Amino acid sequence: MKKRNLKYKSAFDIIGPIMIGPSSSHTAGAVRIGKTAGELLQDQVEKLIVTFYGSFAETYKGHGTAVAIVAGILGYEPSDERIPQALVLAEKNGMTIEFLTSQKKMPHANTVNLELIGQVNQLNLTGVSIGGGNIQITELNHCSMDLLDDRLNPLAILSNDKEVIQSLKEELRDFHVVTTQQSRESTLFIIETMQEITQRILKRIRKIPGIAAAVPIRG
């Protein structure tokens, strides 16, 4: 099995973010994986199938990982006080949820696969929580995200404009397109850049006409 480069960058990554506990890896990281999936789907989720692997599969009930995943899909941040009520709130919104576990060996113990079915769109995403609330998306729609260089910052761009990449050159100094996925309504671009993707840069990118979502997939 191919070994992936799943790393944190500093001791501050281990300490973790401000969050609703109990665990930065099993709770905060799970919220962020769910939030990434929800932002990329760009649709109201009608059905969610969650498959936990490794440590997640063993502890997802006790550590609140299941609740955290759903909270992220609802758009909550790791510190949101509504996280404990996420399952109830999701069901009130008409979301049906199925939680599964798998014995399949994965490169990282804290791995989860999410299948989101919306009113129009669908998304399949696999992510890992690598510690301190940090995550890495390893697959999008069954396409492997082989992020082998820690110096590069990967970003998923969802757009209804195939030419939107040209507009990104005004916000990012240098980047290259790793892969693209075309659907009926939009195109998903995975790009990598040496430039640090700050919240300020993200806000500017998200304001570019034609961009529906811009989401870091590692960090």
Side-chain angles (χ1 to χ4, degrees), residues 22 31 70 91 111 117 122 124 139:
V31 172
V70 176
E91 290 172 358
T111 299
I117 301 172
Q122 296 188 21
N124 190 289
E139 287 188 4

Side-chain angles (χ1 to χ4, degrees), residues 61-73:
K61 294 180 180 179
H63 284 189
T65 309
V67 175
I69 288 288
V70 176
I73 289 173

Side-chain angles (χ1 to χ4, degrees), residues 26-137:
H26 287 228
T27 313
V31 172
R32 293 193 61 205
I33 292 171
K35 193 169 189 292
T36 299
E39 290 178 353
L40 289 176
L41 180 70
Q42 288 293 300
D43 196 357
Q44 182 172 335
V45 181
E46 293 187 336
K47 184 175 182 179
L48 169 66
I49 302 173
V50 183
T51 304
F52 293 109
Y53 301 87
S55 178
F56 270 0
E58 297 171 0
T59 64
Y60 75 92
K61 294 180 180 179
H63 284 189
T65 309
V67 175
I69 288 288
V70 176
I73 289 173
L74 291 175
Y76 302 164
E77 297 290 344
S79 59
D80 198 302
E81 294 182 356
R82 295 171 293 178
I83 288 175
Q85 289 79 46
L87 293 180
V88 175
L89 295 173
E91 290 172 358
K92 285 183 178 179
N93 287 340
M95 187 189 306
T96 60
I97 307 168
E98 183 177 2
F99 294 112
L100 306 173
T101 60
S102 173
Q103 298 301 312
K104 181 181 178 180
K105 298 296 183 182
M106 304 297 279
H108 195 284
N110 298 333
T111 299
V112 62
N113 175 265
L114 307 179
E115 184 175 354
L116 288 74
I117 301 172
Q119 295 177 341
V120 177
N121 302 323
Q122 296 188 21
L123 178 76
N124 190 289
L125 176 149
T126 300
V128 299
S129 180
I130 60 178
N134 292 282
I135 67 169
Q136 181 164 318
I137 305 307

Side-chain angles (χ1 to χ4, degrees), residues 151-164:
R151 299 170 300 171
L152 294 173
N153 298 303
L155 186 67
I157 302 287
L158 188 67
S159 175
N160 55 18
D161 180 1
K162 294 181 181 179
E163 305 300 324
V164 76

